[in-house]
Amino acid sequence: MNASSMSLFARDAYLPEGWRRNVLLEWDASGTLRAVTADQIEVPENTARASGPIVPGMPNLHSHAFQRAMAGLTEYRACASDNFWSWRELMYRHVAQITPESLGAIAYWLYIEMLKAGYTSVCEFHYVHHAPDGHPYPLACALSECLVEAAHASGIGLTMLPVLYQYGGFGAQPPRTEQRRFLNDPGHLLHLLSELNRARPETRSLRYGIAPHSLRAVSRDSLQVLLDGFNADWPGAPVHLHIAEQRAEVDACLDIYRARPVQWLLDHFSVDSHWCLVHATHMDASETRALAKTGACAGLCPTTEANLGDGLFPAAAWLEAGGYIGVGSDSQICVDWRAELRLLEYGQRLGHQQRNVLASAHTPEVADRLYRAALEGGARATGRQVGGLAPGLCADWIVLDPDHPCIAERTPQQWLSGLVFGEHGATPVQDVYAGGVRIVENRRHRDETRAYANYRAALAELAASQ
Ligand code: ZN
């Protein structure tokens, strides 16, 4: 099999209806699946055979690439009561040192790690825009463009979400000095987005959206101005927002707006299926039902949320209410969708003191339910045609190692359970295709040696400048 082949035969593949036998995948030069045929009796000549079962690649709906460089560096008690807010202080110190070159090197290696884990798309929620002194770079989108280039070079699909960060807290509090690299008003942010689109126009594997950082960092007026301008130029494009991650944030919102964050957002803005609300950890029962009804996706990042001590998302009630979910690697403390799904379920088990909490009557295998839900919700959050093996979608998938201890001697119906809940040995992700190109081959990305050397050089430089 070489990268230019346009068809692949798999003995087993996970299609929208479930596992099917003898599946022929055919795609075109744009990287779009054109036909997916199960029960194919004869394999056409010159069609390669996949070395193991095929499952769709997973979208990663929430990433802050630069934070990869600090993963593992904050695992000590920084003060008497270490929490999200003290972690944020360390993050601010780190962000002050980032340069376009180091950001590019970090992101490139990170996106390779994502691909090797089986993430084939990423939504980059990017809020570091300016030079260390807070002045814009000559090209306002300089840092965003580094991420677009890193994604393109790695082969991962990207939804790029430049972030509006304007204030230091609820009630339009003045920003802090440490936040100066993030700051824009809506007009400048929309300018940055159009500049970025001019430099790097949208393609099949690149989509743009917008991310108001949080209700802390924008005001009601600035969010309205941003959305009005954005919706005029980018109708139907993704909108992502951090919300209700921490109790202190809920309390501050109640203080200033007299409403909980999710309720306040729903009362003042038209949230719909183009929105991804990241975390949404602290919702009461009526917020959970009301937000689920909008069709917005809840962007869950269980390993980061656990790492930061955020709290537990009301996943059972959310799914019961018909809510969409997807998973993200967020702070990059873990880059593995299998671990995210596992921890999502384990958190619920610990909270409810039950097993298989997120299974349903329709899908009693909890891993299958979560995997399918994360594909569907994650795809929605990307705003791209991804998330399954079906005609019209991007040719993104994972070829599993059929001899891996997670799945060996199991039936196809048991494979996803083995993948999500089994944590044994090296990764079962053997090959990865994104946009129809085999980017990871036998667990290796074609450029990983060089990328890792450059990543280490960037880390060394950052450490020296601290
Ligand atoms: Zn985040």
Side-chain angles (χ1 to χ4, degrees):
M1 174 75 190
N2 63 53
S4 63
S5 297
M6 307 293 274
S7 63
L8 184 67
F9 177 81
R11 201 191 74 151
D12 299 282
Y14 195 71
L15 305 191
E17 67 270 27
W19 285 106
R20 297 294 301 272
R21 268 279 155 100
N22 300 328
V23 175
L24 181 66
L25 301 166
E26 298 171 275
W27 65 98
D28 65 19
S30 77
T32 304
L33 275 166
R34 286 299 160 210
V36 178
T37 315
D39 304 320
Q40 180 82 17
I41 294 166
E42 283 191 20
V43 183
E45 224 175 292
N46 298 325
T47 292
R49 288 170 181 265
S51 56
I54 287 183
V55 296
M58 180 61 70
N60 179 348
L61 57 58
H62 192 64
S63 163
H64 306 290
F66 77 91
Q67 293 182 15
R68 175 64 185 88
M70 54 183 286
L73 293 183
T74 60
E75 307 307 316
Y76 59 92
R77 185 176 282 191
C79 54
S81 172
D82 198 4
N83 56 27
F84 171 87
W85 309 101
S86 49
W87 172 87
R88 195 177 70 155
E89 295 304 317
L90 293 169
M91 185 266 281
Y92 284 171
R93 232 184 284 162
H94 180 82
V95 85
Q97 313 296 331
I98 292 282
T99 63
E101 294 72 28
S102 59
L103 180 65
I106 292 163
Y108 187 41
W109 171 247
L110 170 67
Y111 295 155
I112 288 174
E113 287 183 316
M114 287 183 190
L115 285 161
K116 290 176 67 165
Y119 283 125
T120 45
S121 302
V122 60
C123 300
E124 188 61 42
F125 193 112
H126 180 64
Y127 54 86
V128 190
H129 298 303
H130 306 315
D133 65 2
H135 286 95
Y137 287 104
L139 205 58
C141 66
L143 287 171
S144 298
E145 198 179 349
C146 292
L147 297 174
V148 175
E149 174 52 33
H152 173 73
S154 75
I156 199 167
L158 174 67
T159 301
M160 184 68 203
L161 305 156
V163 169
L164 178 63
Y165 203 112
Q166 197 169 4
Y167 299 111
F170 284 97
Q173 290 173 34
R176 291 170 39 184
T177 310
E178 294 90 332
Q179 295 164 336
R180 65 190 170 194
R181 300 194 72 176
F182 315 158
L183 304 175
N184 281 292
D185 61 26
H188 282 103
L189 203 271
L190 290 169
H191 168 74
L192 185 156
L193 179 62
S194 62
E195 191 183 76
L196 184 58
N197 184 46
R198 263 199 310 279
R200 307 292 298 237
E202 284 190 329
T203 64
R204 187 109 182 110
S205 56
L206 171 63
R207 180 94 204 258
Y208 290 116
I210 204 102
H213 178 273
S214 56
L215 299 183
R216 306 190 303 272
V218 298
S219 67
R220 179 176 171 180
D221 285 350
S222 68
L223 182 54
Q224 190 65 62
V225 171
L226 177 72
L227 291 172
D228 287 348
F230 180 64
N231 290 330
D233 289 344
W234 302 83
V239 179
H240 290 217
L241 168 79
H242 290 128
I243 198 160
E245 180 176 5
Q246 286 278 321
R247 280 191 194 283
E249 181 187 346
V250 177
D251 292 344
C253 190
L254 279 164
D255 267 358
I256 304 288
Y257 290 152
R258 304 278 160 225
R260 299 170 61 83
V262 169
Q263 191 59 56
W264 184 86
L265 182 72
L266 294 175
D267 287 345
H268 295 93
F269 293 91
S270 304
V271 175
D272 61 21
S273 61
H274 301 106
W275 287 63
C276 175
L277 296 191
V278 182
H279 306 305
T281 310
H282 299 284
M283 293 190 287
D284 66 19
S286 81
E287 287 177 298
T288 303
R289 284 192 301 273
L291 182 59
K293 235 185 251 163
T294 65
C297 181
L300 307 180
C301 310
T303 61
T304 292
E305 289 154 7
N307 184 272
L308 298 179
D310 286 346
L312 269 185
F313 176 77
W318 176 259
L319 291 176
E320 182 71 33
Y324 289 84
I325 59 163
V327 293
S329 61
D330 194 355
S331 70
Q332 328 298 351
I333 190 69
C334 170
V335 181
D336 184 353
W337 58 268
R338 297 160 59 220
E340 302 299 344
L341 295 183
R342 187 185 316 136
L343 187 56
L344 174 60
E345 166 65 20
Y346 280 174
Q348 302 299 309
R349 292 187 190 191
L350 291 165
H352 292 260
Q353 298 179 42
Q354 287 177 18
R355 300 191 72 246
N356 295 314
V357 177
L358 300 178
S360 69
H362 182 261
T363 313
E365 300 87 359
V366 68
D368 289 57
R369 187 183 193 206
L370 293 179
Y371 175 73
R372 295 175 83 97
L375 280 180
E376 188 180 5
R380 184 172 278 227
T382 67
R384 296 177 52 242
Q385 300 295 309
V386 297
L389 301 175
L393 300 185
C394 286
D396 296 351
W397 59 79
I398 299 166
V399 181
L400 300 171
D401 175 357
D403 300 316
H404 193 276
C406 287
I407 62 173
E409 304 309 324
R410 307 286 191 221
T411 67
Q413 279 61 39
Q414 296 164 335
W415 284 342
L416 280 167
S417 298
L419 270 187
V420 170
F421 291 101
E423 184 56 74
H424 310 100
T427 176
V429 174
Q430 188 161 272
D431 294 349
V432 177
Y433 289 68
V437 178
R438 182 159 58 166
I439 292 171
V440 173
E441 196 170 337
N442 206 13
R443 298 186 173 86
R444 284 191 68 79
H445 184 280
R446 60 191 172 216
D447 200 21
E448 69 176 64
T449 305
R450 190 179 68 92
Y452 189 53
N454 290 343
Y455 167 74
R456 290 184 59 158
L459 287 196
E461 193 182 298
L462 284 171
S465 65
Q466 295 276 329

